[in-house]
């Protein structure tokens, strides 16, 4: 039997995502009520600019006083889609204190203060759900947190930023340079006017922290994630990748160490073989590859951003939280029992592609090979081209630690025959 008294929902933020949440709540009201077991009522919408026309939202619901809204005391759920650290953090804490559960899409806040927010939710017996914080519409957090709760996840490897994937895909398929591809992404609305958070990897790093924490039952903060942007990737890098049967993606990589005693989380551009499922992810789409003991290899794919896709994830959480409210229960909270240490980037082991500008004369290759050997880095393949006294030397290594590679490169720079290090890129997905 359906309860007639509605569950009251407040919306913090009414931009691209928030307006879609409000629209779906209105247009799908009957379906949502049937799925939840009670009607859902939009009780208030907090915005910064109240004079803007918001189609479908009664003017009486609009307020600029977000704090007063979450302090009402009669709210069942607060949906936070304003982003950033403050005032979102204070508003979420206040919502818990005044009896509401929270659905959030705030990756930056969860990556920085997820542990404190989970603790506040548990203290007040409320839910904190955030499927929309990672990979837009793709169901990912709930499968990791619930469907794979009985399994052991060893690796999460993914494309979690649509802007960077669009840019790199354009560079790969059309031969465009970085700036040209970025300009197209901006014109199409895939990139912000200031794309720094995307192209420098900050957005992906926040998502990596969230994914690693859930996958490995360990608290992983944004500061624990190694981050490297993709602004230095060039057409020459793509040419080298194609010669190896690879392409280049900006990847978020979360791994459990082979001995199970630690984890790592990192974001950086990497070459991946064209045979890997992630290589075929085009445009602004996202995809995440999960490897676990029992389930094996799983891939999650779909639109990773945009108003409607992200709102879909928000509404999925809203339905789950509302069901919990009706049943007097809460869903899964933070699981950080493993408390594994997060290893620094220097301990990460992978393959590397290094392009060197060298003098075109006898003995250069031997000198370079000696430096690699002295630092314990084994060479897989070497390719050399040159004329008029100058040459390009491309070295692909076997698996080695990041610390060993850094030491190798420093020693190479001191060789008289090495004019410069043109590029260094990791090789993943093998």
């Amino acid at each position: 039997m359906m309860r007639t008294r509605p569950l009251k929902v407040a919306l913090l933020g009414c931009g691209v995502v928030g307006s879609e949440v409000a629209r779906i709540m209105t247009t799908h009201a009957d379906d949502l009520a049937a799925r939840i077991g009670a009607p859902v009522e939009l009780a208030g919408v907090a915005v910064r600019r109240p004079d803007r026309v918001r189609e479908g939202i009664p003017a009486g619901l609009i307020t600029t006083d977000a704090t007063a809204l979450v302090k009402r005391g009669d709210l069942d759920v607060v949906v936070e889609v304003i982003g950033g650290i403050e005032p979102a953090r204070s508003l979420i804490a206040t919502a818990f204190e005044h009896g509401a559960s929270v659905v959030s899409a705030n990756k930056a806040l969860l990556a920085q203060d997820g542990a404190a927010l989970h603790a506040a939710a548990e203290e007040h017996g409320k839910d904190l759900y955030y499927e929309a914080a990672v990979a837009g519409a793709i169901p990912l957090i709930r499968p990791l947190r619930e469907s794979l709760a009985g399994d052991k996840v060893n690796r999460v490897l993914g494309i979690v930023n649509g802007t960077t994937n669009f840019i790199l895909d354009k560079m790969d398929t059309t031969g465009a340079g970085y700036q040209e591809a970025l300009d197209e992404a901006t014109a199409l609305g895939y990139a912000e006017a200031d794309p720094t958070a995307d192209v420098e990897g900050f957005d992906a790093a926040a998502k990596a922290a969230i994914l690693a924490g859930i996958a490995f039952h360990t608290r992983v903060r944004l500061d624990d994630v190694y981050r490297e942007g993709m602004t230095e990737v060039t057409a020459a890098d793509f040419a080298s990748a194609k010669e190896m049967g690879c392409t280049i993606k900006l990847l978020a990589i979360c791994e459990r160490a082979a001995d199970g005693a630690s984890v790592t989380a990192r974001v950086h551009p990497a070459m991946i073989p064209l045979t890997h499922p992630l290589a075929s992810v085009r445009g602004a789409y996202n995809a995440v590859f999960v490897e676990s003991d029992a389930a094996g290899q799983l891939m999650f794919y779909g639109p990773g951003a945009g108003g409607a896709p992200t709102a879909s994830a928000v509404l999925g959480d809203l339905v789950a939280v509302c069901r919990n409210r009706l049943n007097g229960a809460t869903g899964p909270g933070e699981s950080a029992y493993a408390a594994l240490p997060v290893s620094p980037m220097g301990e990460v082991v992978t393959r590397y592609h290094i392009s060197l500008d060298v003098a075109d004369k006898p003995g250069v290759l031997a000198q370079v090979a000696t430096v690699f050997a002295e630092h314990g880095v084994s060479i897989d393949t070497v390719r050399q081209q040159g004329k008029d006294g100058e040459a390009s030397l491309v070295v692909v290594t076997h698996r080695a630690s990041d610390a060993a590679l850094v030491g190798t490169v420093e020693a190479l720079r001191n060789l008289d025959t090495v004019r410069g290090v043109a590029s260094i890129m990791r090789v993943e997905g093998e």
Side-chain angles (χ1 to χ4, degrees), residues 153-158 204-205 207-213 215-216 220 225 251-256 263-267 289 291:
V153 176
N154 297 309
R155 195 174 196 226
V156 180
L157 172 76
K207 296 169 181 176
I210 294 170
L211 291 175
F216 306 134
V220 179
V225 182
L251 298 179
I253 306 170
C254 311
E255 292 180 306
R256 188 189 299 269
V263 299
T264 58
R266 50 197 166 103
V267 168
F289 207 71
E291 300 174 9

PDB file of all heavy atoms in Angstrom, residues 153-158 204-205 207-213 215-216 220 225 251-256 263-267 289 291:
ATOM      1  N   VAL A 153      38.291  -6.769  -4.847  1.00  0.00           N
ATOM      2  CA  VAL A 153      38.666  -5.962  -6.016  1.00  0.00           C
ATOM      3  C   VAL A 153      40.165  -5.692  -5.967  1.00  0.00           C
ATOM      4  O   VAL A 153      40.702  -5.255  -4.944  1.00  0.00           O
ATOM      5  CB  VAL A 153      37.882  -4.637  -6.049  1.00  0.00           C
ATOM      6  CG1 VAL A 153      38.350  -3.767  -7.209  1.00  0.00           C
ATOM      7  CG2 VAL A 153      36.387  -4.907  -6.150  1.00  0.00           C
ATOM      8  N   ASN A 154      40.834  -5.952  -7.080  1.00  0.00           N
ATOM      9  CA  ASN A 154      42.281  -5.762  -7.146  1.00  0.00           C
ATOM     10  C   ASN A 154      42.701  -4.545  -7.953  1.00  0.00           C
ATOM     11  O   ASN A 154      43.766  -3.978  -7.702  1.00  0.00           O
ATOM     12  CB  ASN A 154      42.939  -7.009  -7.743  1.00  0.00           C
ATOM     13  CG  ASN A 154      42.735  -8.224  -6.880  1.00  0.00           C
ATOM     14  OD1 ASN A 154      42.999  -8.196  -5.682  1.00  0.00           O
ATOM     15  ND2 ASN A 154      42.248  -9.307  -7.467  1.00  0.00           N
ATOM     16  N   ARG A 155      41.856  -4.172  -8.911  1.00  0.00           N
ATOM     17  CA  ARG A 155      42.253  -3.054  -9.772  1.00  0.00           C
ATOM     18  C   ARG A 155      41.030  -2.368 -10.349  1.00  0.00           C
ATOM     19  O   ARG A 155      40.053  -3.026 -10.713  1.00  0.00           O
ATOM     20  CB  ARG A 155      43.122  -3.557 -10.922  1.00  0.00           C
ATOM     21  CG  ARG A 155      43.893  -2.464 -11.677  1.00  0.00           C
ATOM     22  CD  ARG A 155      44.822  -3.098 -12.692  1.00  0.00           C
ATOM     23  NE  ARG A 155      45.825  -2.165 -13.175  1.00  0.00           N
ATOM     24  CZ  ARG A 155      46.150  -2.003 -14.458  1.00  0.00           C
ATOM     25  NH1 ARG A 155      45.531  -2.706 -15.390  1.00  0.00           N
ATOM     26  NH2 ARG A 155      47.084  -1.153 -14.822  1.00  0.00           N
ATOM     27  N   VAL A 156      41.085  -1.035 -10.402  1.00  0.00           N
ATOM     28  CA  VAL A 156      40.074  -0.229 -11.081  1.00  0.00           C
ATOM     29  C   VAL A 156      40.826   0.677 -12.042  1.00  0.00           C
ATOM     30  O   VAL A 156      41.672   1.474 -11.629  1.00  0.00           O
ATOM     31  CB  VAL A 156      39.242   0.609 -10.089  1.00  0.00           C
ATOM     32  CG1 VAL A 156      38.209   1.437 -10.846  1.00  0.00           C
ATOM     33  CG2 VAL A 156      38.563  -0.285  -9.059  1.00  0.00           C
ATOM     34  N   LEU A 157      40.532   0.529 -13.320  1.00  0.00           N
ATOM     35  CA  LEU A 157      41.250   1.251 -14.375  1.00  0.00           C
ATOM     36  C   LEU A 157      40.218   1.921 -15.266  1.00  0.00           C
ATOM     37  O   LEU A 157      39.346   1.231 -15.808  1.00  0.00           O
ATOM     38  CB  LEU A 157      42.086   0.262 -15.193  1.00  0.00           C
ATOM     39  CG  LEU A 157      42.780   0.761 -16.454  1.00  0.00           C
ATOM     40  CD1 LEU A 157      44.017   1.571 -16.088  1.00  0.00           C
ATOM     41  CD2 LEU A 157      43.188  -0.421 -17.338  1.00  0.00           C
ATOM     42  N   GLY A 158      40.270   3.247 -15.388  1.00  0.00           N
ATOM     43  CA  GLY A 158      39.189   3.835 -16.151  1.00  0.00           C
ATOM     44  C   GLY A 158      39.422   5.211 -16.722  1.00  0.00           C
ATOM     45  O   GLY A 158      40.351   5.939 -16.345  1.00  0.00           O
ATOM     46  N   ALA A 204      39.562  14.010 -12.389  1.00  0.00           N
ATOM     47  CA  ALA A 204      39.759  12.561 -12.391  1.00  0.00           C
ATOM     48  C   ALA A 204      40.395  12.076 -11.094  1.00  0.00           C
ATOM     49  O   ALA A 204      40.092  10.979 -10.612  1.00  0.00           O
ATOM     50  CB  ALA A 204      40.612  12.151 -13.585  1.00  0.00           C
ATOM     51  N   ALA A 205      41.280  12.875 -10.504  1.00  0.00           N
ATOM     52  CA  ALA A 205      41.938  12.479  -9.262  1.00  0.00           C
ATOM     53  C   ALA A 205      40.936  12.377  -8.115  1.00  0.00           C
ATOM     54  O   ALA A 205      41.008  11.462  -7.279  1.00  0.00           O
ATOM     55  CB  ALA A 205      43.046  13.471  -8.912  1.00  0.00           C
ATOM     56  N   LYS A 207      37.795  11.614  -8.412  1.00  0.00           N
ATOM     57  CA  LYS A 207      37.027  10.397  -8.665  1.00  0.00           C
ATOM     58  C   LYS A 207      37.847   9.152  -8.320  1.00  0.00           C
ATOM     59  O   LYS A 207      37.312   8.168  -7.794  1.00  0.00           O
ATOM     60  CB  LYS A 207      36.575  10.365 -10.119  1.00  0.00           C
ATOM     61  CG  LYS A 207      35.607  11.494 -10.457  1.00  0.00           C
ATOM     62  CD  LYS A 207      35.373  11.619 -11.957  1.00  0.00           C
ATOM     63  CE  LYS A 207      34.428  12.763 -12.278  1.00  0.00           C
ATOM     64  NZ  LYS A 207      34.259  12.978 -13.734  1.00  0.00           N
ATOM     65  N   ALA A 208      39.151   9.197  -8.610  1.00  0.00           N
ATOM     66  CA  ALA A 208      40.018   8.068  -8.278  1.00  0.00           C
ATOM     67  C   ALA A 208      40.074   7.837  -6.777  1.00  0.00           C
ATOM     68  O   ALA A 208      40.077   6.690  -6.305  1.00  0.00           O
ATOM     69  CB  ALA A 208      41.424   8.300  -8.828  1.00  0.00           C
ATOM     70  N   ALA A 209      40.107   8.928  -6.005  1.00  0.00           N
ATOM     71  CA  ALA A 209      40.131   8.795  -4.545  1.00  0.00           C
ATOM     72  C   ALA A 209      38.868   8.102  -4.043  1.00  0.00           C
ATOM     73  O   ALA A 209      38.922   7.222  -3.175  1.00  0.00           O
ATOM     74  CB  ALA A 209      40.279  10.173  -3.901  1.00  0.00           C
ATOM     75  N   ILE A 210      37.718   8.490  -4.594  1.00  0.00           N
ATOM     76  CA  ILE A 210      36.449   7.886  -4.183  1.00  0.00           C
ATOM     77  C   ILE A 210      36.415   6.407  -4.561  1.00  0.00           C
ATOM     78  O   ILE A 210      36.057   5.544  -3.746  1.00  0.00           O
ATOM     79  CB  ILE A 210      35.276   8.634  -4.834  1.00  0.00           C
ATOM     80  CG1 ILE A 210      35.206  10.067  -4.295  1.00  0.00           C
ATOM     81  CG2 ILE A 210      33.957   7.911  -4.573  1.00  0.00           C
ATOM     82  CD1 ILE A 210      34.236  10.962  -5.053  1.00  0.00           C
ATOM     83  N   LEU A 211      36.805   6.095  -5.797  1.00  0.00           N
ATOM     84  CA  LEU A 211      36.775   4.711  -6.261  1.00  0.00           C
ATOM     85  C   LEU A 211      37.729   3.826  -5.471  1.00  0.00           C
ATOM     86  O   LEU A 211      37.385   2.701  -5.098  1.00  0.00           O
ATOM     87  CB  LEU A 211      37.124   4.655  -7.741  1.00  0.00           C
ATOM     88  CG  LEU A 211      36.101   5.252  -8.708  1.00  0.00           C
ATOM     89  CD1 LEU A 211      36.636   5.235 -10.123  1.00  0.00           C
ATOM     90  CD2 LEU A 211      34.781   4.497  -8.624  1.00  0.00           C
ATOM     91  N   ALA A 212      38.933   4.314  -5.206  1.00  0.00           N
ATOM     92  CA  ALA A 212      39.905   3.527  -4.460  1.00  0.00           C
ATOM     93  C   ALA A 212      39.421   3.253  -3.041  1.00  0.00           C
ATOM     94  O   ALA A 212      39.578   2.136  -2.516  1.00  0.00           O
ATOM     95  CB  ALA A 212      41.251   4.244  -4.429  1.00  0.00           C
ATOM     96  N   GLY A 213      38.823   4.267  -2.415  1.00  0.00           N
ATOM     97  CA  GLY A 213      38.322   4.077  -1.059  1.00  0.00           C
ATOM     98  C   GLY A 213      37.272   2.990  -0.978  1.00  0.00           C
ATOM     99  O   GLY A 213      37.280   2.142  -0.070  1.00  0.00           O
ATOM    100  N   ALA A 215      36.631   0.569  -3.366  1.00  0.00           N
ATOM    101  CA  ALA A 215      37.121  -0.713  -3.873  1.00  0.00           C
ATOM    102  C   ALA A 215      37.988  -1.451  -2.870  1.00  0.00           C
ATOM    103  O   ALA A 215      37.908  -2.684  -2.759  1.00  0.00           O
ATOM    104  CB  ALA A 215      37.909  -0.485  -5.168  1.00  0.00           C
ATOM    105  N   PHE A 216      38.802  -0.707  -2.116  1.00  0.00           N
ATOM    106  CA  PHE A 216      39.776  -1.343  -1.244  1.00  0.00           C
ATOM    107  C   PHE A 216      39.448  -1.206   0.239  1.00  0.00           C
ATOM    108  O   PHE A 216      40.270  -1.543   1.087  1.00  0.00           O
ATOM    109  CB  PHE A 216      41.175  -0.764  -1.517  1.00  0.00           C
ATOM    110  CG  PHE A 216      41.577  -0.840  -2.965  1.00  0.00           C
ATOM    111  CD1 PHE A 216      42.140   0.254  -3.610  1.00  0.00           C
ATOM    112  CD2 PHE A 216      41.385  -1.999  -3.703  1.00  0.00           C
ATOM    113  CE1 PHE A 216      42.515   0.195  -4.939  1.00  0.00           C
ATOM    114  CE2 PHE A 216      41.744  -2.070  -5.038  1.00  0.00           C
ATOM    115  CZ  PHE A 216      42.314  -0.973  -5.658  1.00  0.00           C
ATOM    116  N   VAL A 220      40.982   6.851   1.242  1.00  0.00           N
ATOM    117  CA  VAL A 220      41.920   7.440   0.278  1.00  0.00           C
ATOM    118  C   VAL A 220      41.456   8.858   0.011  1.00  0.00           C
ATOM    119  O   VAL A 220      40.347   9.086  -0.467  1.00  0.00           O
ATOM    120  CB  VAL A 220      41.953   6.634  -1.040  1.00  0.00           C
ATOM    121  CG1 VAL A 220      42.918   7.274  -2.028  1.00  0.00           C
ATOM    122  CG2 VAL A 220      42.340   5.183  -0.769  1.00  0.00           C
ATOM    123  N   VAL A 225      46.367  10.824  -4.082  1.00  0.00           N
ATOM    124  CA  VAL A 225      46.319  10.441  -5.495  1.00  0.00           C
ATOM    125  C   VAL A 225      47.394  11.185  -6.285  1.00  0.00           C
ATOM    126  O   VAL A 225      47.423  12.416  -6.300  1.00  0.00           O
ATOM    127  CB  VAL A 225      44.932  10.740  -6.097  1.00  0.00           C
ATOM    128  CG1 VAL A 225      44.882  10.297  -7.562  1.00  0.00           C
ATOM    129  CG2 VAL A 225      43.833  10.043  -5.297  1.00  0.00           C
ATOM    130  N   LEU A 251      44.045   8.191 -17.752  1.00  0.00           N
ATOM    131  CA  LEU A 251      43.491   7.099 -16.964  1.00  0.00           C
ATOM    132  C   LEU A 251      43.525   7.388 -15.468  1.00  0.00           C
ATOM    133  O   LEU A 251      44.465   7.997 -14.955  1.00  0.00           O
ATOM    134  CB  LEU A 251      44.274   5.806 -17.225  1.00  0.00           C
ATOM    135  CG  LEU A 251      44.256   5.264 -18.656  1.00  0.00           C
ATOM    136  CD1 LEU A 251      45.109   3.998 -18.738  1.00  0.00           C
ATOM    137  CD2 LEU A 251      42.838   4.984 -19.119  1.00  0.00           C
ATOM    138  N   ALA A 252      42.484   6.932 -14.795  1.00  0.00           N
ATOM    139  CA  ALA A 252      42.496   6.845 -13.340  1.00  0.00           C
ATOM    140  C   ALA A 252      42.766   5.379 -13.018  1.00  0.00           C
ATOM    141  O   ALA A 252      42.051   4.492 -13.501  1.00  0.00           O
ATOM    142  CB  ALA A 252      41.155   7.281 -12.760  1.00  0.00           C
ATOM    143  N   ILE A 253      43.807   5.128 -12.224  1.00  0.00           N
ATOM    144  CA  ILE A 253      44.230   3.757 -11.936  1.00  0.00           C
ATOM    145  C   ILE A 253      44.340   3.572 -10.430  1.00  0.00           C
ATOM    146  O   ILE A 253      45.110   4.263  -9.757  1.00  0.00           O
ATOM    147  CB  ILE A 253      45.582   3.444 -12.595  1.00  0.00           C
ATOM    148  CG1 ILE A 253      45.521   3.741 -14.103  1.00  0.00           C
ATOM    149  CG2 ILE A 253      45.984   1.993 -12.360  1.00  0.00           C
ATOM    150  CD1 ILE A 253      46.865   3.691 -14.795  1.00  0.00           C
ATOM    151  N   CYS A 254      43.561   2.638  -9.922  1.00  0.00           N
ATOM    152  CA  CYS A 254      43.587   2.302  -8.494  1.00  0.00           C
ATOM    153  C   CYS A 254      43.955   0.827  -8.385  1.00  0.00           C
ATOM    154  O   CYS A 254      43.269  -0.018  -8.961  1.00  0.00           O
ATOM    155  CB  CYS A 254      42.230   2.549  -7.846  1.00  0.00           C
ATOM    156  SG  CYS A 254      41.499   4.167  -8.216  1.00  0.00           S
ATOM    157  N   GLU A 255      45.026   0.515  -7.668  1.00  0.00           N
ATOM    158  CA  GLU A 255      45.524  -0.858  -7.632  1.00  0.00           C
ATOM    159  C   GLU A 255      45.831  -1.317  -6.213  1.00  0.00           C
ATOM    160  O   GLU A 255      46.309  -0.540  -5.384  1.00  0.00           O
ATOM    161  CB  GLU A 255      46.800  -0.979  -8.465  1.00  0.00           C
ATOM    162  CG  GLU A 255      46.614  -0.804  -9.955  1.00  0.00           C
ATOM    163  CD  GLU A 255      47.912  -0.927 -10.718  1.00  0.00           C
ATOM    164  OE1 GLU A 255      48.864  -0.202 -10.366  1.00  0.00           O
ATOM    165  OE2 GLU A 255      47.984  -1.732 -11.651  1.00  0.00           O
ATOM    166  N   ARG A 256      45.583  -2.590  -5.986  1.00  0.00           N
ATOM    167  CA  ARG A 256      46.033  -3.245  -4.769  1.00  0.00           C
ATOM    168  C   ARG A 256      47.401  -3.849  -5.063  1.00  0.00           C
ATOM    169  O   ARG A 256      47.609  -4.462  -6.125  1.00  0.00           O
ATOM    170  CB  ARG A 256      45.039  -4.350  -4.386  1.00  0.00           C
ATOM    171  CG  ARG A 256      45.286  -4.981  -3.030  1.00  0.00           C
ATOM    172  CD  ARG A 256      44.387  -6.193  -2.853  1.00  0.00           C
ATOM    173  NE  ARG A 256      42.979  -5.851  -2.921  1.00  0.00           N
ATOM    174  CZ  ARG A 256      42.230  -5.519  -1.872  1.00  0.00           C
ATOM    175  NH1 ARG A 256      42.778  -5.459  -0.675  1.00  0.00           N
ATOM    176  NH2 ARG A 256      40.949  -5.246  -2.021  1.00  0.00           N
ATOM    177  N   VAL A 263      47.898  -0.026  -1.257  1.00  0.00           N
ATOM    178  CA  VAL A 263      47.192   0.336  -2.486  1.00  0.00           C
ATOM    179  C   VAL A 263      47.831   1.580  -3.074  1.00  0.00           C
ATOM    180  O   VAL A 263      48.572   2.303  -2.391  1.00  0.00           O
ATOM    181  CB  VAL A 263      45.691   0.593  -2.226  1.00  0.00           C
ATOM    182  CG1 VAL A 263      45.022  -0.658  -1.687  1.00  0.00           C
ATOM    183  CG2 VAL A 263      45.485   1.779  -1.277  1.00  0.00           C
ATOM    184  N   THR A 264      47.544   1.830  -4.340  1.00  0.00           N
ATOM    185  CA  THR A 264      47.976   3.057  -4.990  1.00  0.00           C
ATOM    186  C   THR A 264      46.812   3.641  -5.767  1.00  0.00           C
ATOM    187  O   THR A 264      45.902   2.920  -6.189  1.00  0.00           O
ATOM    188  CB  THR A 264      49.155   2.824  -5.965  1.00  0.00           C
ATOM    189  OG1 THR A 264      48.755   1.868  -6.961  1.00  0.00           O
ATOM    190  CG2 THR A 264      50.384   2.320  -5.229  1.00  0.00           C
ATOM    191  N   ALA A 265      46.839   4.945  -5.960  1.00  0.00           N
ATOM    192  CA  ALA A 265      45.826   5.634  -6.761  1.00  0.00           C
ATOM    193  C   ALA A 265      46.523   6.729  -7.544  1.00  0.00           C
ATOM    194  O   ALA A 265      47.284   7.525  -6.976  1.00  0.00           O
ATOM    195  CB  ALA A 265      44.734   6.218  -5.877  1.00  0.00           C
ATOM    196  N   ARG A 266      46.266   6.778  -8.861  1.00  0.00           N
ATOM    197  CA  ARG A 266      46.985   7.730  -9.707  1.00  0.00           C
ATOM    198  C   ARG A 266      46.160   8.098 -10.933  1.00  0.00           C
ATOM    199  O   ARG A 266      45.283   7.342 -11.350  1.00  0.00           O
ATOM    200  CB  ARG A 266      48.326   7.146 -10.148  1.00  0.00           C
ATOM    201  CG  ARG A 266      48.219   5.740 -10.742  1.00  0.00           C
ATOM    202  CD  ARG A 266      49.593   5.044 -10.769  1.00  0.00           C
ATOM    203  NE  ARG A 266      49.471   3.629 -11.011  1.00  0.00           N
ATOM    204  CZ  ARG A 266      49.718   3.014 -12.173  1.00  0.00           C
ATOM    205  NH1 ARG A 266      50.109   3.741 -13.210  1.00  0.00           N
ATOM    206  NH2 ARG A 266      49.600   1.730 -12.308  1.00  0.00           N
ATOM    207  N   VAL A 267      46.465   9.272 -11.473  1.00  0.00           N
ATOM    208  CA  VAL A 267      45.834   9.756 -12.703  1.00  0.00           C
ATOM    209  C   VAL A 267      46.934  10.320 -13.593  1.00  0.00           C
ATOM    210  O   VAL A 267      47.718  11.169 -13.152  1.00  0.00           O
ATOM    211  CB  VAL A 267      44.791  10.852 -12.395  1.00  0.00           C
ATOM    212  CG1 VAL A 267      44.357  11.549 -13.680  1.00  0.00           C
ATOM    213  CG2 VAL A 267      43.590  10.267 -11.677  1.00  0.00           C
ATOM    214  N   PHE A 289      37.088  -0.134 -15.991  1.00  0.00           N
ATOM    215  CA  PHE A 289      37.400  -1.555 -16.044  1.00  0.00           C
ATOM    216  C   PHE A 289      37.742  -2.003 -14.626  1.00  0.00           C
ATOM    217  O   PHE A 289      38.633  -1.447 -13.993  1.00  0.00           O
ATOM    218  CB  PHE A 289      38.602  -1.744 -16.978  1.00  0.00           C
ATOM    219  CG  PHE A 289      38.700  -3.066 -17.643  1.00  0.00           C
ATOM    220  CD1 PHE A 289      37.813  -3.422 -18.651  1.00  0.00           C
ATOM    221  CD2 PHE A 289      39.686  -3.968 -17.283  1.00  0.00           C
ATOM    222  CE1 PHE A 289      37.921  -4.632 -19.293  1.00  0.00           C
ATOM    223  CE2 PHE A 289      39.799  -5.189 -17.920  1.00  0.00           C
ATOM    224  CZ  PHE A 289      38.914  -5.529 -18.922  1.00  0.00           C
ATOM    225  N   GLU A 291      38.724  -5.223 -12.029  1.00  0.00           N
ATOM    226  CA  GLU A 291      39.245  -6.586 -11.948  1.00  0.00           C
ATOM    227  C   GLU A 291      39.145  -7.073 -10.507  1.00  0.00           C
ATOM    228  O   GLU A 291      39.637  -6.415  -9.588  1.00  0.00           O
ATOM    229  CB  GLU A 291      40.703  -6.621 -12.414  1.00  0.00           C
ATOM    230  CG  GLU A 291      40.898  -6.142 -13.852  1.00  0.00           C
ATOM    231  CD  GLU A 291      42.356  -6.043 -14.250  1.00  0.00           C
ATOM    232  OE1 GLU A 291      43.219  -6.508 -13.466  1.00  0.00           O
ATOM    233  OE2 GLU A 291      42.646  -5.505 -15.325  1.00  0.00           O
TER     234      GLU A 291
END
